[in-house]
């Protein structure tokens, strides 16, 4: 690792200007802090967190809709634990549960399907959040439900897609990024090719990177080499898990059950074709169509900078609420709630 760091410092000094690199994935953000990587890379390199925290980008409107569904008689809503404390317009799912809504924390969508088989006189809805990493699991679960003829199971879909978010960032004039550390987990599903536009159209170097300290540092080094050589391409550091074409079986499963749809990203807004929805032929598994929850008119928490932090325009310490009005014990925005959130990482590792 010392050899890589020595080369990284030499290259960074030689480029002659400061560099901003964005780690798109929330898991990368946490691992970068946990391994102290910010402390050993050249001072000329600033690492910015991106929009790859699934809990952080789930909209306040979707939280409100999931709670509204849970308040229907005979309905159980299940979701991942991180979602429970994310603020909705007036309450979180945890608060809604305390006032009677049947909301449960489960570890996988298959657990929700098993719950539906046990609770045959009730409807079980899985609140599905996340990126291309988790959406194939949802598709697979629906396939099982279909095969077993389970009719009291449905999914409230709030999935997001990474490549459209990158394009939105690159089109935004206030986002200044010299290169991207691309998410390893997502890329095991979609591969390298969906990111090619980043280099081809925007001339930004990018590297798909693993999650060990050595892998992250090598990924940063590969980006800086490209900048030093005045070239831009999408490279794979995480060769043990990622192939150019991704996982064709998982992609086929996704395409069978889902189609792209416009999606609202918390703090960012609506991004065209940046989400997923169930295809019409699987409408019976679509909780949004089954329950038609009222449209939420809630707005983002006042003064919360989560949206700017997710776009790399601000760092957490530049939010007026950070560490005072917003802490892990009393979070205002989802970036402080999620274990993958940038604010939570800054707070936990004391980088403020």
């Amino acid at each position: 690792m010392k050899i890589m760091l020595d080369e990284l410092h030499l290259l960074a000094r030689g480029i002659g200007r400061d560099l901003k690199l964005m780690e798109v994935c929330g898991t990368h953000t946490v691992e970068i802090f946990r391994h102290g990587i910010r402390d050993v890379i050249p001072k000329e390199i600033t690492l910015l967190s991106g929009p790859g925290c699934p809990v952080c980008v789930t909209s306040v409107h979707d939280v409100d809709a999931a709670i509204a569904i849970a308040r229907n008689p005979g309905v159980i809503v299940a979701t991942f634990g991180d979602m429970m404390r994310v603020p909705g317009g007036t309450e979180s799912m945890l608060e809604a549960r305390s006032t009677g809504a049947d909301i449960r924390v489960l570890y996988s969508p298959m657990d929700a399907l098993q719950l539906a088989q046990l609770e045959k006189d009730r409807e079980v809805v899985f609140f599905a959040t996340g990126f291309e990493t988790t959406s194939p699991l949802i598709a697979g679960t629906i396939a099982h439900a279909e095969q077993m003829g389970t009719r009291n199971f449905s999914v409230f879909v709030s999935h997001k897609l990474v490549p459209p978010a990158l394009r939105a960032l690159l089109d935004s004039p206030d986002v200044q990024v010299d290169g991207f550390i691309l998410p390893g987990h997502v890329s095991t599903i979609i591969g390298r090719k969906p990111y090619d536009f980043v280099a081809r159209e925007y001339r930004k170097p990018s590297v798909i990177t693993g999650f060990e300290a050595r892998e992250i540092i090598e990924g940063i080094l590969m980006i800086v080499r490209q900048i030093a050589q005045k070239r831009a391409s999408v490279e794979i550091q995480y060769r043990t898990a990622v192939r150019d074409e991704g996982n064709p079986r998982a992609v086929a499963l996704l395409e069978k059950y889902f189609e792209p749809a416009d999606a609202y990203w918390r703090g960012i807004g609506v991004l065209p074709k940046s989400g997923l929805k169930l295809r019409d032929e699987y409408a019976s598994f679509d909780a949004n169509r089954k329950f038609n929850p009222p449209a939420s008119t809630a707005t983002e928490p006042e003064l919360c900078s989560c949206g700017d932090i997710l776009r790399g325009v601000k760092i957490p310490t530049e939010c007026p609420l950070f560490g005072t009005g917003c802490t892990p014990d009393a979070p205002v925005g989802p970036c402080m709630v999620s274990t993958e959130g940038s604010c939570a990482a800054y707070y936990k590792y004391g980088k403020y």
Side-chain angles (χ1 to χ4, degrees):
M1 194 178 303
K2 182 178 183 306
I3 293 174
M4 289 193 292
L5 284 170
D6 287 345
E7 182 182 354
L8 184 59
H9 280 266
L10 184 64
L11 287 173
R13 286 197 299 272
I15 290 172
R17 63 181 177 89
D18 290 346
L19 302 174
K20 291 183 178 179
L21 307 183
M22 175 178 282
E23 78 269 7
V24 176
C25 175
T27 306
H28 274 145
T29 296
V30 173
E31 293 305 307
I32 285 168
F33 274 113
R34 193 166 73 86
H35 293 298
I37 289 174
R38 289 169 186 265
D39 299 328
V40 299
I41 62 174
K43 60 180 176 52
E44 292 88 353
I45 298 175
T46 298
L47 297 179
L48 301 171
S49 301
C53 162
V55 170
C56 301
V57 298
T58 299
S59 80
V60 63
H61 306 142
D62 284 353
V63 174
D64 285 350
I67 291 171
I69 291 172
R71 293 206 180 280
N72 282 280
V75 173
I76 301 169
V77 168
T79 190
F80 297 122
D82 268 7
M83 285 305 305
M84 294 297 288
R85 297 175 67 224
V86 175
T90 57
E91 60 183 348
S92 66
M93 299 185 80
L94 190 62
E95 291 165 332
R97 187 170 69 178
S98 71
T99 58
D102 195 344
I103 300 174
R104 306 186 190 185
V105 174
L106 297 178
Y107 292 105
S108 77
M110 283 300 293
D111 289 343
L113 179 57
Q114 290 174 2
L115 180 62
Q117 292 166 335
L118 292 173
E119 301 270 4
K120 293 185 183 300
D121 58 340
R122 303 185 68 184
E123 173 81 12
V124 176
V125 177
F126 190 76
F127 184 16
T129 61
F131 298 97
E132 293 92 333
T133 315
T134 53
S135 45
L137 297 176
I138 301 299
T141 303
I142 294 171
H144 276 286
E146 193 178 21
Q147 291 165 5
M148 293 186 295
T150 305
R151 297 301 173 203
N152 63 324
F153 173 77
S154 55
V155 179
F156 183 69
V157 179
S158 183
H159 283 301
K160 305 289 191 298
L161 302 172
V162 170
L166 293 179
R167 183 179 288 281
L169 291 177
L170 289 162
D171 285 337
S172 179
D174 57 345
V175 177
Q176 301 295 321
V177 176
D178 296 291
F180 291 98
I181 302 167
L182 295 173
H185 292 336
V186 166
S187 307
T188 61
I189 303 299
I190 66 174
R192 176 192 57 78
K193 294 179 180 178
Y195 305 113
D196 278 347
F197 73 94
V198 176
R200 186 179 61 249
E201 299 178 31
Y202 296 91
R203 301 297 300 162
K204 300 293 184 184
S206 304
V207 175
I208 298 167
T209 306
F211 298 94
E212 298 294 328
R214 179 193 59 76
E215 294 172 328
I216 295 171
I217 289 173
E218 185 177 4
I220 294 171
L221 175 59
M222 291 167 70
I223 295 173
V224 175
R225 276 182 188 149
Q226 291 190 47
I227 295 172
Q229 296 166 1
K230 301 186 186 307
R231 62 184 179 87
S233 61
V234 181
E235 298 177 336
I236 303 175
Q237 181 282 324
Y238 201 25
R239 280 286 178 192
T240 53
V242 177
R243 294 176 292 178
D244 284 2
E245 69 276 17
N247 182 331
R249 290 183 62 187
V251 171
L253 193 61
L254 272 180
E255 292 178 347
K256 178 180 178 181
Y257 288 93
F258 292 107
E259 59 183 325
D262 297 350
Y264 186 96
W265 296 57
R266 184 187 285 256
I268 298 176
V270 176
L271 301 182
K273 304 296 182 186
S274 66
L276 293 174
K277 68 175 184 179
L278 281 166
R279 294 186 181 277
D280 288 344
E281 50 266 50
Y282 304 106
S284 62
F285 294 104
D286 188 342
N288 195 43
R289 300 189 213 196
K290 273 188 176 181
F291 295 98
N292 192 25
S296 169
T297 58
T299 58
E300 303 295 336
E302 191 174 359
L303 299 180
C304 175
S305 299
C306 197
D308 286 339
I309 293 166
L310 291 168
R311 296 189 304 126
V313 175
K314 286 184 178 179
I315 61 174
T317 52
E318 293 174 322
C319 175
L321 301 178
F322 181 81
T324 53
C326 181
T327 66
D329 289 334
V332 174
C335 295
M336 187 64 88
V337 175
S338 172
T339 55
E340 295 185 6
S342 181
C343 295
Y346 266 70
Y347 194 94
K348 179 176 181 178
Y349 293 97
K351 298 296 182 183
Y352 62 95

